[in-house]
Amino acid sequence: MPITVAATNGGAAKAAALPVPVFDPQHLGKPPKRRAHKRSATGYIPERDEKTGDEIWPRGDEATWKKGLLTEPPEDETSISNAIVHHAQTTIARQPYNLDDAGAYQAVALAVRDDLIINWNDTQSHFTRTAPKVVHVTRLRTGRALDNALLNLGLRNKFSDSIGKLGFTLEDLLDSERDAGLGNGGLGRLAACYLDSSASMELPVWGYGLRYKYGIFQQLIAPDGSQLEAPDPWLNNGNPWEIHRPDVKVDVRFYGHAQRINRGRAVWTAGQEVVAIANDVPVPGYRTRNTNNLRLWDARPKSGFDLLSFNAGDYHRAVDSSNQAEAITRVLYPNDNHDAGKELRLKQQYFWTAASLGDIMRRFKDLGKPITEFPQYVSIQLNDTHPTLAIPELMRILVDEEEVEWSTAWQIVIRTFAYTNHTVLPEALEKWPIPLVENLLPRHMQIIYDIPQHQAVERKYPGDRDRLARMSLIDETWPKFLRMANLAVIGSFKVNGVAELHSQLVQTTILKDFAEFYPGKFRNITNGITPRRWLDQCNPGLSALITEVLGGKKDEWLKDLNLLKGLTKYQDDPGFQKKWNAVKLQNKERLAHYIEKTTGVIVNTDSMFDIQVKRIHEYKRQNLNILGVIHRYLEIKRKTPEERKKVVPRTILFAGKAAPGYYAAKLTIRLIVNVARVVNADPDVKGILTVLFLPDYSVSLAELLIPASDISQHISTAGTEASGTGNMKFCLNGGLLLGTVDGASIEIAEEVGEENVFMFGHLVEDLRYQHQYHHVNIQQRSQTLAAVLDEISNGRFGDGHVYESLLNTIRGNDYYLISEDFDSYLKAQEIVDEAYQDRASWTKKSIRTVAFMGKFSSDRAIIQYAEEIWNIEPTKLKA
Ligand code: 26Q
């Protein structure tokens, strides 16, 4: 549930030095207070000599201080190995003969972190002085940090050498790092790509998130093929990347009573009080000293524990409040585009927004600017609706604490927030029961009722009651619901979707009334991915080959991805094609090795690797894929041994997690696993068809799978996948795209050329009406599909009854329109098989695909946000 909060520096302040406090009698808040030395949450603001402008050293002997200060990261081999040995010996207290890979990883990570911290401190002090803009991104799916940090710092080779001298290999140490699984699917990973790009593009951006004790669950597959979930204790061995900041904290209240006093103000008291404690993670930019900050909040009790109960022998009661506080950041909700309307989830959302806003407000006040200038220094990007409570929370701070008059406060709010929508699926549009919100956040509910939304609509469309009802913040059902998307739109100055088609759908379906009401508020910013992680880091072979032919300057093309167009010069060159294919084969072998090690299955690396990896969801239609696999299997079985020799061999790989409460998605996994079992055990198809479900999909597994794909599948029902970013990752690694006309796949096809992608299926225009209930006659629609469904019912892949509900959703309502697209899907697959047989032409498609992926760099996307929404400019930290 990412939030992106951009604290922006307005036009005038862009070039300003340390801002001078001004008390503006016009402004309605309290006068800002100045202390002699301020230690703001962003860093230290030193006093300056009035005449010379020099910093005044706060205490002690300046020369002694300066001598001890590290100003440059150690970059030669000896200082690198010294730093590693030093951390092994002191920080983690191990002797060299007692150091395993896990310990060595910690020591190396700490040595790298030392480098990051120097840059990070300097960047944050620089930002504090120049009063810049901050972006906050949450619920991250960052994956591993070590390789990324080494590549961005340009120190990978040097560290690799030093590590080698100490008797370890960098690869083994990289492998012993655990993924930070602090997010679900695309939304969380997008936020991580945007953080990487904002640091690399030297934009002053901050991330905010929750420091879950348990990240996304570990997925296990039971003997019957069903998904089991186990906790992910990713912090068990410590996290070398975070800096614990017990001095940076924000009080957060829940429940209690809100008593109105005067002029729209209220006093909110009693209830549960907890403290948010900061943990900072440095985010290094690529080949720049700029290092941004990701601040992760931990929940702690406000007042230790209850000593009275403890002394009376009631231990449970004594620690109860402390347990309840810590429960808030204990575990990530594993839902992706799927409802989980639980109170604890809303509590997490508020905790996160209140802590982050409290922090932003404190940093703003350190600038000493009048409160009315808040939007000139701060803009807050709501990444999906999950942080929308930030809107009433900012109102609460302004009206109740800063004593700003209501309508002035609302003007500040609506010039501060912008909102990105990431889904049009009805089940993923957040709404919360009013009684629940009222109980948890009584003051916020008052504020929401006070927003004059009703009057504004009534003025423009007098008497249009249906429109009033649709645009209301409250869904008047029983119980009533609070509509988070409506609140986000009303409280924001810009609203964007994440791909062209999606942005259009947002404006013509779910937010149609608002698009009419606020012309000019809506726009599109197509998603992007960071080429540092999704090409250089995950596919070093391809990265090296590209660098070789583009003139040896990796730094250049990795920061300007449009330069990949230069590859077209070599697209027909047999020598280059050979090297291109050799890299692909190597990546396939690397994956085959992993598969053999983890599943025992040996795969044919001469076969076409066909991959679909993403969250398991009915709209993403893994079902369509597995039904197609069954059809392929039956077809091969019908052939004679001679005919089978002509079949293009395929290895079909699936991976992805299902939300633990999503029955239909879990059933899909079970079907895939059981089809795989039958197919892989059948000697008739050996070497021709292999099917696998790889458990526990993660960022690290994605980094292994994506570079190995010949083709990848992005086959959502048209109009349901907002953008997709997996499609971009595969194409950037030279895997061709098999997809529906949906999300960003449409723009990929436009960029790389229709002749280089395999598109099929109905268009969104054909399908819109279909989403209403209608009974499907499968036999009439597709006989091949009917036959496949019968095979499952008849027990070919284990007890058919198990899959009854899955089959019935297709035979019955078929909401995601599998039967509409099945035949055209099979046709597309035939075309893929044919195309693969002409290897030179296939390789050319692969090269051209990579060459035209420049648009999908997250650098482009983040610059668009900076220019079109936040109005910020790069703030480079000088060497
Ligand atoms: C819904 C109701 C109540 C509580 C939570 C939710 C909920 C949870 C997760 C709603 C949505 C999500 C996740 C959405 C998501 O990951 N969307 C994906 O965002 C990507 C980045 O923009 C896109 O590329 C994907 O197309 C989109 O599915």
Side-chain angles (χ1 to χ4, degrees):
M1 63 179 198
I3 174 186
T4 311
V5 185
T8 142
N9 174 0
K14 252 170 205 165
L18 185 66
V20 185
V22 183
F23 176 56
D24 172 3
Q26 297 291 314
H27 105 262
L28 298 145
K30 295 175 193 150
K33 294 194 197 89
R34 294 286 282 178
R35 280 166 281 140
H37 285 294
K38 297 200 307 174
R39 257 274 288 102
S40 80
T42 37
Y44 176 77
I45 306 179
E47 273 206 305
R48 282 166 188 277
D49 185 294
E50 277 181 19
K51 283 196 198 114
T52 61
D54 290 346
E55 287 180 6
I56 298 174
W57 208 252
R59 57 175 67 85
D61 173 28
E62 186 172 335
T64 310
W65 270 106
K66 285 197 167 156
K67 210 159 43 191
L69 276 183
L70 282 176
T71 48
E72 266 172 32
E75 291 205 349
D76 64 282
E77 209 181 277
T78 321
S79 22
I80 290 175
S81 23
N82 288 352
I84 298 171
V85 173
H86 169 78
H87 278 297
Q89 192 181 17
T90 60
T91 322
I92 61 167
R94 299 273 197 92
Q95 296 285 30
Y97 50 81
N98 188 24
L99 196 64
D100 54 5
D101 277 358
Y105 157 72
Q106 296 270 338
V108 169
L110 288 164
V112 176
R113 193 188 82 160
D114 289 347
D115 291 8
L116 295 184
I117 289 179
I118 296 170
N119 292 343
W120 173 81
N121 261 325
D122 287 352
T123 309
Q124 299 314 319
S125 304
H126 178 63
F127 286 177
T128 306
R129 278 194 206 102
T130 52
K133 182 167 211 165
V134 183
V135 179
H136 312 210
V137 197
T138 61
R139 282 252 171 139
L140 297 178
R141 199 68 201 280
T142 51
R144 293 166 170 171
L146 179 56
D147 206 17
N148 183 248
L150 288 174
L151 285 166
N152 281 6
L153 289 167
L155 291 176
R156 200 179 194 275
N157 292 341
K158 287 184 181 152
F159 264 81
S160 181
D161 291 348
S162 300
I163 290 166
K165 292 243 164 73
L166 295 170
F168 294 90
T169 71
L170 177 59
E171 279 63 35
D172 286 347
L173 302 196
L174 294 176
D175 261 355
S176 63
E177 177 171 356
R178 280 189 92 116
D179 277 34
L182 298 184
N184 279 296
L187 196 60
R189 184 53 236 182
L190 183 76
C193 285
Y194 283 179
L195 269 192
D196 177 89
S197 281
S198 34
S200 301
M201 297 292 106
E202 297 164 337
L203 291 165
V205 163
W206 271 45
Y208 278 111
L210 294 181
R211 183 181 177 271
Y212 298 107
K213 189 166 175 196
Y214 297 96
I216 184 74
F217 64 87
Q218 264 179 284
Q219 180 191 53
L220 307 167
I221 300 299
D224 69 359
S226 47
Q227 168 179 292
L228 298 177
E229 299 90 18
D232 162 41
W234 73 289
L235 287 169
N236 267 8
N237 297 323
N239 173 14
W241 301 103
E242 65 187 13
I243 303 145
H244 186 52
R245 303 289 303 271
D247 55 319
V248 180
K249 44 191 177 195
V250 180
D251 289 346
V252 180
R253 183 188 304 281
F254 299 98
Y255 312 104
H257 317 282
Q259 186 77 46
R260 286 185 186 271
I261 43 175
N262 55 18
R263 297 199 299 146
R265 292 180 61 211
V267 190
W268 181 20
T269 51
Q272 182 190 13
E273 287 178 272
V274 302
V275 187
I277 312 266
N279 294 271
D280 288 346
V281 182
V283 181
Y286 181 71
R287 307 293 154 96
T288 161
R289 285 197 66 213
N290 276 50
T291 303
N292 283 347
N293 193 27
L294 166 62
R295 181 158 282 179
L296 301 176
W297 299 107
D298 242 342
R300 289 280 174 268
K302 181 139 190 205
S303 46
F305 63 95
D306 175 9
L307 201 56
L308 214 64
S309 308
F310 184 75
N311 287 338
D314 192 345
Y315 176 75
H316 286 287
R317 197 187 183 129
V319 296
D320 199 38
S321 74
S322 134
N323 281 340
Q324 279 184 21
E326 281 160 22
I328 297 172
T329 49
R330 191 155 298 148
V331 55
L332 166 76
Y333 273 96
N335 300 76
D336 181 278
N337 272 304
H338 197 70
D339 188 12
K342 298 284 181 331
E343 180 173 278
L344 182 59
R345 185 180 175 121
L346 188 64
K347 227 170 155 174
Q348 289 184 337
Q349 293 187 352
Y350 178 65
F351 175 77
W352 157 47
T353 45
S356 309
L357 259 185
D359 197 45
I360 294 168
M361 185 54 85
R362 178 174 49 205
R363 282 167 33 222
F364 170 73
K365 289 173 89 176
D366 280 349
L367 299 178
K369 292 283 170 185
I371 196 83
T372 43
E373 287 181 17
F374 189 79
Q376 280 159 257
Y377 291 85
V378 180
S379 47
I380 301 180
Q381 189 73 28
L382 304 172
N383 224 346
D384 218 273
T385 54
H386 314 139
T388 303
L389 286 168
I391 290 171
E393 173 65 4
L394 181 56
M395 277 304 279
R396 187 191 68 76
I397 296 174
L398 293 172
V399 173
D400 295 354
E401 292 180 4
E402 300 298 318
E403 300 184 28
V404 179
E405 183 261 329
W406 172 277
S407 61
T408 310
W410 185 245
Q411 287 307 313
I412 294 175
V413 167
I414 60 175
R415 282 156 56 219
T416 298
F417 290 98
Y419 158 52
T420 306
N421 173 286
H422 293 265
T423 188
V424 294
L425 293 184
E427 70 267 37
L429 288 181
E430 257 190 304
K431 49 182 196 169
W432 291 97
I434 300 277
L436 193 153
V437 185
E438 214 147 38
N439 181 45
L440 187 72
L441 302 166
R443 178 57 185 139
H444 296 76
M445 213 49 238
Q446 286 176 347
I447 290 170
I448 289 164
Y449 280 126
D450 287 349
I451 297 172
Q453 156 72 354
H454 190 90
Q455 296 86 319
V457 179
E458 176 70 41
R459 262 199 306 279
K460 191 155 176 182
Y461 301 100
D464 191 342
R465 306 182 106 243
D466 288 346
R467 191 185 291 262
L468 266 176
R470 290 194 305 266
M471 292 180 74
S472 170
L473 292 172
I474 314 290
D475 181 345
E476 301 280 342
T477 47
W478 193 90
K480 294 180 180 170
F481 283 94
L482 173 62
R483 294 163 167 162
M484 304 309 265
N486 291 14
L487 181 55
V489 174
I490 291 165
S492 298
F493 64 91
K494 282 271 151 44
V495 178
N496 76 286
V498 291
E500 289 290 348
L501 173 66
H502 169 67
S503 296
Q504 272 172 29
L505 289 174
V506 165
Q507 292 170 62
T508 51
T509 62
I510 55 165
L511 298 175
K512 181 168 186 279
D513 296 306
F514 292 97
E516 281 169 23
F517 194 82
Y518 302 108
K521 203 186 242 198
F522 288 75
R523 63 183 53 235
N524 171 60
I525 298 184
T526 300
N527 283 166
I529 56 169
T530 167
R532 271 77 62 183
R533 181 176 291 265
W534 296 112
L535 178 50
D536 188 37
Q537 189 178 321
C538 70
N539 198 344
L542 191 61
S543 174
L545 180 58
I546 292 172
T547 303
E548 183 189 314
V549 298
L550 292 188
K553 297 216 174 81
K554 185 165 97 171
D555 307 20
E556 278 179 15
W557 67 263
L558 271 180
K559 272 202 172 182
D560 179 3
L561 208 58
N562 285 316
L563 293 175
L564 288 178
K565 290 205 172 83
L567 291 174
T568 52
K569 237 166 88 186
Y570 310 93
Q571 63 190 28
D572 295 306
D573 173 349
F576 182 68
Q577 284 209 350
K578 201 167 156 206
K579 287 185 187 169
W580 191 267
N581 290 333
V583 169
K584 182 62 78 187
L585 183 62
Q586 219 174 36
N587 292 333
K588 287 164 82 168
E589 278 163 359
R590 180 174 74 161
L591 176 61
H593 177 73
Y594 171 86
I595 292 174
E596 190 181 345
K597 206 173 69 187
T598 52
T599 68
V601 177
I602 295 172
V603 298
N604 170 7
T605 48
D606 284 334
S607 65
M608 183 200 307
F609 277 23
D610 168 352
I611 306 185
Q612 187 182 20
V613 289
K614 47 184 85 236
R615 287 298 288 251
I616 311 292
H617 204 298
E618 284 162 288
Y619 87 84
K620 294 179 186 280
R621 300 201 295 192
Q622 282 90 357
N623 285 336
L624 179 58
N625 187 349
I626 195 65
L627 295 171
V629 170
I630 295 173
H631 171 77
R632 176 178 290 266
Y633 172 63
L634 299 174
E635 286 282 283
I636 301 174
K637 291 286 282 180
R638 264 182 227 120
K639 291 186 197 294
T640 63
E642 253 336 280
E643 288 168 333
R644 282 182 199 148
K645 286 190 185 138
K646 288 193 214 114
V647 174
V648 179
R650 274 217 207 199
T651 300
I652 300 171
L653 300 168
F654 293 82
K657 290 174 183 175
Y662 189 174
Y663 181 77
K666 292 177 98 168
L667 203 50
T668 298
I669 295 179
R670 194 163 170 186
L671 178 61
I672 296 170
V673 173
N674 283 304
V675 169
R677 197 166 284 159
V678 171
V679 170
N680 299 345
D682 188 337
D684 287 352
V685 300
K686 198 172 165 53
I688 310 176
L689 181 62
T690 308
V691 184
L692 279 164
F693 184 89
L694 300 178
D696 206 29
Y697 185 55
S698 64
V699 173
S700 293
L701 186 50
E703 288 173 15
L704 205 58
L705 282 156
I706 290 169
S709 95
D710 292 303
I711 192 141
S712 72
Q713 302 201 31
H714 307 275
I715 56 178
S716 51
T717 313
T720 60
E721 187 71 274
S723 159
T725 45
N727 43 8
M728 301 171 189
K729 292 166 194 164
F730 280 98
C731 289
L732 187 59
N733 283 275
L736 302 192
L737 177 85
L738 169 58
T740 44
V741 186
D742 199 18
S745 295
I746 301 174
E747 288 158 72
I748 294 178
E750 276 165 16
E751 291 293 306
V752 310
E754 310 252 320
E755 68 286 4
N756 298 314
V757 296
F758 303 91
M759 303 288 264
F760 71 94
H762 283 83
L763 307 181
V764 66
E765 289 79 9
D766 311 334
L767 294 180
R768 196 96 48 84
Y769 74 97
Q770 296 278 15
H771 283 295
Q772 279 100 40
Y773 183 83
H774 63 294
H775 189 81
V776 176
N777 183 336
I778 294 284
Q779 202 69 38
Q780 242 171 35
R781 202 59 72 74
S782 163
Q783 288 190 10
T784 21
L785 177 60
V788 167
L789 298 183
D790 286 346
E791 290 287 334
I792 301 171
S793 299
N794 296 341
R796 184 126 185 189
F797 307 100
D799 186 356
H801 290 108
V802 168
Y803 304 109
E804 207 153 307
S805 66
L806 191 155
L807 303 176
N808 286 344
T809 58
I810 300 171
R811 288 184 180 130
N813 191 8
D814 194 17
Y815 188 79
Y816 291 104
L817 307 163
I818 303 253
S819 58
E820 292 272 353
D821 282 345
F822 193 70
D823 288 353
S824 114
Y825 176 62
L826 296 185
K827 185 79 207 140
Q829 288 283 24
E830 272 174 36
I831 296 172
V832 170
D833 281 328
E834 261 166 51
Y836 195 68
Q837 280 167 312
D838 183 347
R839 292 314 293 273
S841 138
W842 182 277
T843 308
K844 181 174 174 177
K845 286 181 198 296
S846 169
I847 297 170
R848 283 187 70 83
T849 299
V850 176
F852 291 102
M853 285 302 289
K855 171 177 173 184
F856 303 99
S857 166
S858 46
D859 297 347
R860 184 270 311 150
I862 207 74
I863 288 171
Q864 257 188 294
Y865 277 95
E867 289 177 354
E868 297 176 24
I869 298 186
W870 305 324
N871 183 29
I872 56 163
E873 280 171 2
T875 305
K876 188 182 177 65
L877 174 65
K878 301 280 176 327

